[in-house]
PDB file of all heavy atoms in Angstrom:
ATOM      1  N   GLU A   1       0.859  -1.212  -0.009  1.00 93.00           N
ATOM      2  CA  GLU A   1      -0.001   0.000   0.003  1.00 93.00           C
ATOM      3  C   GLU A   1       0.866   1.256   0.004  1.00 93.00           C
ATOM      4  O   GLU A   1       1.906   1.309   0.684  1.00 93.00           O
ATOM      5  CB  GLU A   1      -0.913   0.010   1.242  1.00 93.00           C
ATOM      6  CG  GLU A   1      -1.896  -1.147   1.268  1.00 93.00           C
ATOM      7  CD  GLU A   1      -2.911  -1.071   0.154  1.00 93.00           C
ATOM      8  OE1 GLU A   1      -3.244   0.053  -0.312  1.00 93.00           O
ATOM      9  OE2 GLU A   1      -3.373  -2.133  -0.293  1.00 93.00           O
ATOM     10  N   PRO A   2       0.466   2.284  -0.763  1.00 94.00           N
ATOM     11  CA  PRO A   2       1.274   3.527  -0.774  1.00 94.00           C
ATOM     12  C   PRO A   2       1.062   4.338   0.474  1.00 94.00           C
ATOM     13  O   PRO A   2      -0.012   4.337   1.051  1.00 94.00           O
ATOM     14  CB  PRO A   2       0.745   4.264  -2.035  1.00 94.00           C
ATOM     15  CG  PRO A   2      -0.672   3.780  -2.144  1.00 94.00           C
ATOM     16  CD  PRO A   2      -0.671   2.356  -1.663  1.00 94.00           C
ATOM     17  N   ILE A   3       2.099   5.062   0.903  1.00 94.00           N
ATOM     18  CA  ILE A   3       2.030   6.006   1.993  1.00 94.00           C
ATOM     19  C   ILE A   3       2.413   7.374   1.457  1.00 94.00           C
ATOM     20  O   ILE A   3       3.465   7.534   0.831  1.00 94.00           O
ATOM     21  CB  ILE A   3       2.998   5.612   3.142  1.00 94.00           C
ATOM     22  CG1 ILE A   3       2.626   4.237   3.697  1.00 94.00           C
ATOM     23  CG2 ILE A   3       3.013   6.668   4.243  1.00 94.00           C
ATOM     24  CD1 ILE A   3       3.575   3.697   4.756  1.00 94.00           C
ATOM     25  N   ALA A   4       1.530   8.338   1.641  1.00 93.00           N
ATOM     26  CA  ALA A   4       1.749   9.676   1.065  1.00 93.00           C
ATOM     27  C   ALA A   4       2.821  10.446   1.830  1.00 93.00           C
ATOM     28  O   ALA A   4       3.127  10.154   2.992  1.00 93.00           O
ATOM     29  CB  ALA A   4       0.462  10.473   1.098  1.00 93.00           C
ATOM     30  N   ARG A   5       3.387  11.446   1.141  1.00 93.00           N
ATOM     31  CA  ARG A   5       4.401  12.285   1.799  1.00 93.00           C
ATOM     32  C   ARG A   5       3.905  12.917   3.063  1.00 93.00           C
ATOM     33  O   ARG A   5       4.614  12.911   4.097  1.00 93.00           O
ATOM     34  CB  ARG A   5       4.816  13.387   0.800  1.00 93.00           C
ATOM     35  CG  ARG A   5       5.900  14.333   1.377  1.00 93.00           C
ATOM     36  CD  ARG A   5       5.912  15.643   0.619  1.00 93.00           C
ATOM     37  NE  ARG A   5       4.695  16.432   0.893  1.00 93.00           N
ATOM     38  CZ  ARG A   5       4.478  17.656   0.372  1.00 93.00           C
ATOM     39  NH1 ARG A   5       5.419  18.196  -0.433  1.00 93.00           N
ATOM     40  NH2 ARG A   5       3.388  18.307   0.631  1.00 93.00           N
ATOM     41  N   ASP A   6       2.694  13.457   3.038  1.00 92.00           N
ATOM     42  CA  ASP A   6       2.202  14.156   4.227  1.00 92.00           C
ATOM     43  C   ASP A   6       1.882  13.198   5.361  1.00 92.00           C
ATOM     44  O   ASP A   6       1.935  13.607   6.527  1.00 92.00           O
ATOM     45  CB  ASP A   6       0.962  14.989   3.862  1.00 92.00           C
ATOM     46  CG  ASP A   6       1.358  16.324   3.265  1.00 92.00           C
ATOM     47  OD1 ASP A   6       2.567  16.551   3.051  1.00 92.00           O
ATOM     48  OD2 ASP A   6       0.442  17.132   2.976  1.00 92.00           O
ATOM     49  N   THR A   7       1.558  11.965   5.061  1.00 93.00           N
ATOM     50  CA  THR A   7       1.378  10.966   6.131  1.00 93.00           C
ATOM     51  C   THR A   7       2.716  10.735   6.821  1.00 93.00           C
ATOM     52  O   THR A   7       2.777  10.646   8.052  1.00 93.00           O
ATOM     53  CB  THR A   7       0.851   9.673   5.529  1.00 93.00           C
ATOM     54  OG1 THR A   7      -0.405   9.863   4.931  1.00 93.00           O
ATOM     55  CG2 THR A   7       0.716   8.590   6.639  1.00 93.00           C
ATOM     56  N   PHE A   8       3.778  10.630   6.030  1.00 95.00           N
ATOM     57  CA  PHE A   8       5.107  10.452   6.605  1.00 95.00           C
ATOM     58  C   PHE A   8       5.467  11.639   7.513  1.00 95.00           C
ATOM     59  O   PHE A   8       5.893  11.457   8.645  1.00 95.00           O
ATOM     60  CB  PHE A   8       6.140  10.293   5.510  1.00 95.00           C
ATOM     61  CG  PHE A   8       7.574  10.413   5.964  1.00 95.00           C
ATOM     62  CD1 PHE A   8       8.144   9.383   6.695  1.00 95.00           C
ATOM     63  CD2 PHE A   8       8.346  11.540   5.676  1.00 95.00           C
ATOM     64  CE1 PHE A   8       9.470   9.456   7.157  1.00 95.00           C
ATOM     65  CE2 PHE A   8       9.685  11.613   6.137  1.00 95.00           C
ATOM     66  CZ  PHE A   8      10.206  10.587   6.855  1.00 95.00           C
ATOM     67  N   LEU A   9       5.232  12.890   7.021  1.00 95.00           N
ATOM     68  CA  LEU A   9       5.605  14.057   7.793  1.00 95.00           C
ATOM     69  C   LEU A   9       4.798  14.131   9.093  1.00 95.00           C
ATOM     70  O   LEU A   9       5.289  14.503  10.157  1.00 95.00           O
ATOM     71  CB  LEU A   9       5.429  15.327   6.953  1.00 95.00           C
ATOM     72  CG  LEU A   9       6.363  15.459   5.759  1.00 95.00           C
ATOM     73  CD1 LEU A   9       6.017  16.710   4.960  1.00 95.00           C
ATOM     74  CD2 LEU A   9       7.816  15.484   6.213  1.00 95.00           C
ATOM     75  N   ALA A  10       3.507  13.755   9.014  1.00 94.00           N
ATOM     76  CA  ALA A  10       2.666  13.724  10.206  1.00 94.00           C
ATOM     77  C   ALA A  10       3.119  12.658  11.204  1.00 94.00           C
ATOM     78  O   ALA A  10       3.162  12.907  12.400  1.00 94.00           O
ATOM     79  CB  ALA A  10       1.203  13.513   9.826  1.00 94.00           C
ATOM     80  N   ASP A  11       3.525  11.521  10.698  1.00 94.00           N
ATOM     81  CA  ASP A  11       4.069  10.456  11.560  1.00 94.00           C
ATOM     82  C   ASP A  11       5.354  10.893  12.214  1.00 94.00           C
ATOM     83  O   ASP A  11       5.626  10.588  13.399  1.00 94.00           O
ATOM     84  CB  ASP A  11       4.272   9.143  10.788  1.00 94.00           C
ATOM     85  CG  ASP A  11       2.956   8.386  10.576  1.00 94.00           C
ATOM     86  OD1 ASP A  11       1.977   8.685  11.265  1.00 94.00           O
ATOM     87  OD2 ASP A  11       2.954   7.485   9.712  1.00 94.00           O
ATOM     88  N   VAL A  12       6.196  11.612  11.483  1.00 96.00           N
ATOM     89  CA  VAL A  12       7.447  12.136  12.011  1.00 96.00           C
ATOM     90  C   VAL A  12       7.170  13.088  13.181  1.00 96.00           C
ATOM     91  O   VAL A  12       7.776  12.994  14.261  1.00 96.00           O
ATOM     92  CB  VAL A  12       8.301  12.827  10.922  1.00 96.00           C
ATOM     93  CG1 VAL A  12       9.454  13.580  11.525  1.00 96.00           C
ATOM     94  CG2 VAL A  12       8.795  11.776   9.911  1.00 96.00           C
ATOM     95  N   ALA A  13       6.241  14.033  12.930  1.00 95.00           N
ATOM     96  CA  ALA A  13       5.900  15.010  13.998  1.00 95.00           C
ATOM     97  C   ALA A  13       5.345  14.333  15.200  1.00 95.00           C
ATOM     98  O   ALA A  13       5.684  14.669  16.350  1.00 95.00           O
ATOM     99  CB  ALA A  13       4.941  16.043  13.434  1.00 95.00           C
ATOM    100  N   ARG A  14       4.480  13.337  14.988  1.00 93.00           N
ATOM    101  CA  ARG A  14       3.870  12.634  16.109  1.00 93.00           C
ATOM    102  C   ARG A  14       4.888  11.863  16.923  1.00 93.00           C
ATOM    103  O   ARG A  14       4.870  11.885  18.141  1.00 93.00           O
ATOM    104  CB  ARG A  14       2.776  11.688  15.559  1.00 93.00           C
ATOM    105  CG  ARG A  14       1.957  11.002  16.622  1.00 93.00           C
ATOM    106  CD  ARG A  14       0.951  10.123  15.962  1.00 93.00           C
ATOM    107  NE  ARG A  14       0.070   9.465  16.982  1.00 93.00           N
ATOM    108  CZ  ARG A  14      -0.541   8.332  16.815  1.00 93.00           C
ATOM    109  NH1 ARG A  14      -0.410   7.687  15.673  1.00 93.00           N
ATOM    110  NH2 ARG A  14      -1.303   7.839  17.767  1.00 93.00           N
ATOM    111  N   LEU A  15       5.797  11.111  16.263  1.00 95.00           N
ATOM    112  CA  LEU A  15       6.798  10.355  16.966  1.00 95.00           C
ATOM    113  C   LEU A  15       7.785  11.266  17.662  1.00 95.00           C
ATOM    114  O   LEU A  15       8.237  11.020  18.803  1.00 95.00           O
ATOM    115  CB  LEU A  15       7.542   9.407  15.999  1.00 95.00           C
ATOM    116  CG  LEU A  15       8.617   8.528  16.653  1.00 95.00           C
ATOM    117  CD1 LEU A  15       8.034   7.641  17.727  1.00 95.00           C
ATOM    118  CD2 LEU A  15       9.362   7.697  15.598  1.00 95.00           C
ATOM    119  N   ALA A  16       8.177  12.388  17.011  1.00 96.00           N
ATOM    120  CA  ALA A  16       9.138  13.318  17.585  1.00 96.00           C
ATOM    121  C   ALA A  16       8.645  13.800  18.945  1.00 96.00           C
ATOM    122  O   ALA A  16       9.475  14.000  19.866  1.00 96.00           O
ATOM    123  CB  ALA A  16       9.372  14.472  16.669  1.00 96.00           C
ATOM    124  N   ARG A  17       7.332  14.005  19.114  1.00 94.00           N
ATOM    125  CA  ARG A  17       6.813  14.494  20.382  1.00 94.00           C
ATOM    126  C   ARG A  17       6.931  13.458  21.528  1.00 94.00           C
ATOM    127  O   ARG A  17       6.897  13.815  22.689  1.00 94.00           O
ATOM    128  CB  ARG A  17       5.349  14.895  20.244  1.00 94.00           C
ATOM    129  CG  ARG A  17       5.161  16.131  19.353  1.00 94.00           C
ATOM    130  CD  ARG A  17       3.719  16.666  19.449  1.00 94.00           C
ATOM    131  NE  ARG A  17       2.734  15.730  18.903  1.00 94.00           N
ATOM    132  CZ  ARG A  17       2.329  15.761  17.646  1.00 94.00           C
ATOM    133  NH1 ARG A  17       2.844  16.642  16.771  1.00 94.00           N
ATOM    134  NH2 ARG A  17       1.397  14.901  17.232  1.00 94.00           N
ATOM    135  N   THR A  18       7.099  12.182  21.163  1.00 94.00           N
ATOM    136  CA  THR A  18       7.154  11.113  22.168  1.00 94.00           C
ATOM    137  C   THR A  18       8.564  10.724  22.552  1.00 94.00           C
ATOM    138  O   THR A  18       8.730   9.932  23.487  1.00 94.00           O
ATOM    139  CB  THR A  18       6.382   9.878  21.685  1.00 94.00           C
ATOM    140  OG1 THR A  18       7.172   9.188  20.676  1.00 94.00           O
ATOM    141  CG2 THR A  18       5.025  10.272  21.109  1.00 94.00           C
ATOM    142  N   LEU A  19       9.563  11.171  21.801  1.00 97.00           N
ATOM    143  CA  LEU A  19      10.917  10.739  22.054  1.00 97.00           C
ATOM    144  C   LEU A  19      11.453  11.310  23.366  1.00 97.00           C
ATOM    145  O   LEU A  19      11.129  12.443  23.724  1.00 97.00           O
ATOM    146  CB  LEU A  19      11.855  11.127  20.872  1.00 97.00           C
ATOM    147  CG  LEU A  19      11.524  10.530  19.523  1.00 97.00           C
ATOM    148  CD1 LEU A  19      12.563  10.983  18.507  1.00 97.00           C
ATOM    149  CD2 LEU A  19      11.518   8.972  19.603  1.00 97.00           C
ATOM    150  N   PRO A  20      12.276  10.562  24.079  1.00 97.00           N
ATOM    151  CA  PRO A  20      12.808  11.074  25.333  1.00 97.00           C
ATOM    152  C   PRO A  20      13.827  12.198  25.138  1.00 97.00           C
ATOM    153  O   PRO A  20      14.350  12.384  24.033  1.00 97.00           O
ATOM    154  CB  PRO A  20      13.492   9.816  25.937  1.00 97.00           C
ATOM    155  CG  PRO A  20      13.824   8.966  24.755  1.00 97.00           C
ATOM    156  CD  PRO A  20      12.735   9.193  23.781  1.00 97.00           C
ATOM    157  N   GLU A  21      14.086  12.905  26.218  1.00 96.00           N
ATOM    158  CA  GLU A  21      15.062  13.995  26.184  1.00 96.00           C
ATOM    159  C   GLU A  21      16.468  13.441  26.295  1.00 96.00           C
ATOM    160  O   GLU A  21      17.124  13.539  27.314  1.00 96.00           O
ATOM    161  CB  GLU A  21      14.788  14.990  27.343  1.00 96.00           C
ATOM    162  CG  GLU A  21      13.497  15.763  27.186  1.00 96.00           C
ATOM    163  CD  GLU A  21      13.550  16.790  26.034  1.00 96.00           C
ATOM    164  OE1 GLU A  21      14.682  17.117  25.607  1.00 96.00           O
ATOM    165  OE2 GLU A  21      12.477  17.190  25.588  1.00 96.00           O
ATOM    166  N   ARG A  22      16.925  12.877  25.198  1.00 97.00           N
ATOM    167  CA  ARG A  22      18.271  12.356  25.132  1.00 97.00           C
ATOM    168  C   ARG A  22      18.909  12.783  23.813  1.00 97.00           C
ATOM    169  O   ARG A  22      18.199  13.235  22.878  1.00 97.00           O
ATOM    170  CB  ARG A  22      18.296  10.819  25.258  1.00 97.00           C
ATOM    171  CG  ARG A  22      17.951  10.348  26.664  1.00 97.00           C
ATOM    172  CD  ARG A  22      17.832   8.843  26.767  1.00 97.00           C
ATOM    173  NE  ARG A  22      17.629   8.444  28.152  1.00 97.00           N
ATOM    174  CZ  ARG A  22      18.506   7.750  28.858  1.00 97.00           C
ATOM    175  NH1 ARG A  22      19.653   7.397  28.328  1.00 97.00           N
ATOM    176  NH2 ARG A  22      18.226   7.424  30.122  1.00 97.00           N
ATOM    177  N   CYS A  23      20.221  12.670  23.698  1.00 97.00           N
ATOM    178  CA  CYS A  23      20.937  13.189  22.537  1.00 97.00           C
ATOM    179  C   CYS A  23      21.213  12.133  21.485  1.00 97.00           C
ATOM    180  O   CYS A  23      21.459  12.477  20.316  1.00 97.00           O
ATOM    181  CB  CYS A  23      22.240  13.848  22.931  1.00 97.00           C
ATOM    182  SG  CYS A  23      22.029  15.323  23.954  1.00 97.00           S
ATOM    183  N   HIS A  24      21.242  10.867  21.874  1.00 98.00           N
ATOM    184  CA  HIS A  24      21.663   9.803  20.923  1.00 98.00           C
ATOM    185  C   HIS A  24      20.622   8.685  20.923  1.00 98.00           C
ATOM    186  O   HIS A  24      20.105   8.298  22.014  1.00 98.00           O
ATOM    187  CB  HIS A  24      23.022   9.244  21.300  1.00 98.00           C
ATOM    188  CG  HIS A  24      24.103  10.309  21.227  1.00 98.00           C
ATOM    189  ND1 HIS A  24      24.471  11.062  22.313  1.00 98.00           N
ATOM    190  CD2 HIS A  24      24.876  10.729  20.189  1.00 98.00           C
ATOM    191  CE1 HIS A  24      25.417  11.900  21.964  1.00 98.00           C
ATOM    192  NE2 HIS A  24      25.694  11.724  20.684  1.00 98.00           N
ATOM    193  N   VAL A  25      20.337   8.132  19.758  1.00 98.00           N
ATOM    194  CA  VAL A  25      19.350   7.062  19.635  1.00 98.00           C
ATOM    195  C   VAL A  25      19.937   5.916  18.795  1.00 98.00           C
ATOM    196  O   VAL A  25      20.608   6.152  17.773  1.00 98.00           O
ATOM    197  CB  VAL A  25      18.042   7.550  18.999  1.00 98.00           C
ATOM    198  CG1 VAL A  25      18.298   8.270  17.682  1.00 98.00           C
ATOM    199  CG2 VAL A  25      17.044   6.419  18.808  1.00 98.00           C
ATOM    200  N   LEU A  26      19.699   4.717  19.261  1.00 98.00           N
ATOM    201  CA  LEU A  26      20.040   3.484  18.499  1.00 98.00           C
ATOM    202  C   LEU A  26      18.727   3.012  17.870  1.00 98.00           C
ATOM    203  O   LEU A  26      17.875   2.474  18.559  1.00 98.00           O
ATOM    204  CB  LEU A  26      20.628   2.422  19.415  1.00 98.00           C
ATOM    205  CG  LEU A  26      20.916   1.074  18.775  1.00 98.00           C
ATOM    206  CD1 LEU A  26      22.065   1.187  17.795  1.00 98.00           C
ATOM    207  CD2 LEU A  26      21.242   0.052  19.867  1.00 98.00           C
ATOM    208  N   ASN A  27      18.576   3.229  16.568  1.00 98.00           N
ATOM    209  CA  ASN A  27      17.335   2.910  15.864  1.00 98.00           C
ATOM    210  C   ASN A  27      17.497   1.506  15.265  1.00 98.00           C
ATOM    211  O   ASN A  27      18.222   1.337  14.263  1.00 98.00           O
ATOM    212  CB  ASN A  27      17.091   3.952  14.778  1.00 98.00           C
ATOM    213  CG  ASN A  27      15.775   3.753  14.040  1.00 98.00           C
ATOM    214  OD1 ASN A  27      15.195   2.688  14.026  1.00 98.00           O
ATOM    215  ND2 ASN A  27      15.331   4.825  13.358  1.00 98.00           N
TER     216      ASN A  27
END
């Protein structure tokens, strides 16, 4: 299934708000 550009940007904004206050991440 396709995922639109704006869906990606909205998911980025949503996840960014939940990330902890740290400087480095192991993804």
Side-chain angles (χ1 to χ4, degrees):
E1 297 296 329
I3 299 175
R5 179 200 70 177
D6 278 4
T7 300
F8 169 72
L9 294 177
D11 281 345
V12 169
R14 186 180 183 206
L15 180 61
R17 292 192 295 268
T18 73
L19 297 181
E21 291 291 342
R22 290 177 173 245
C23 294
H24 298 92
V25 54
L26 176 68
N27 185 340

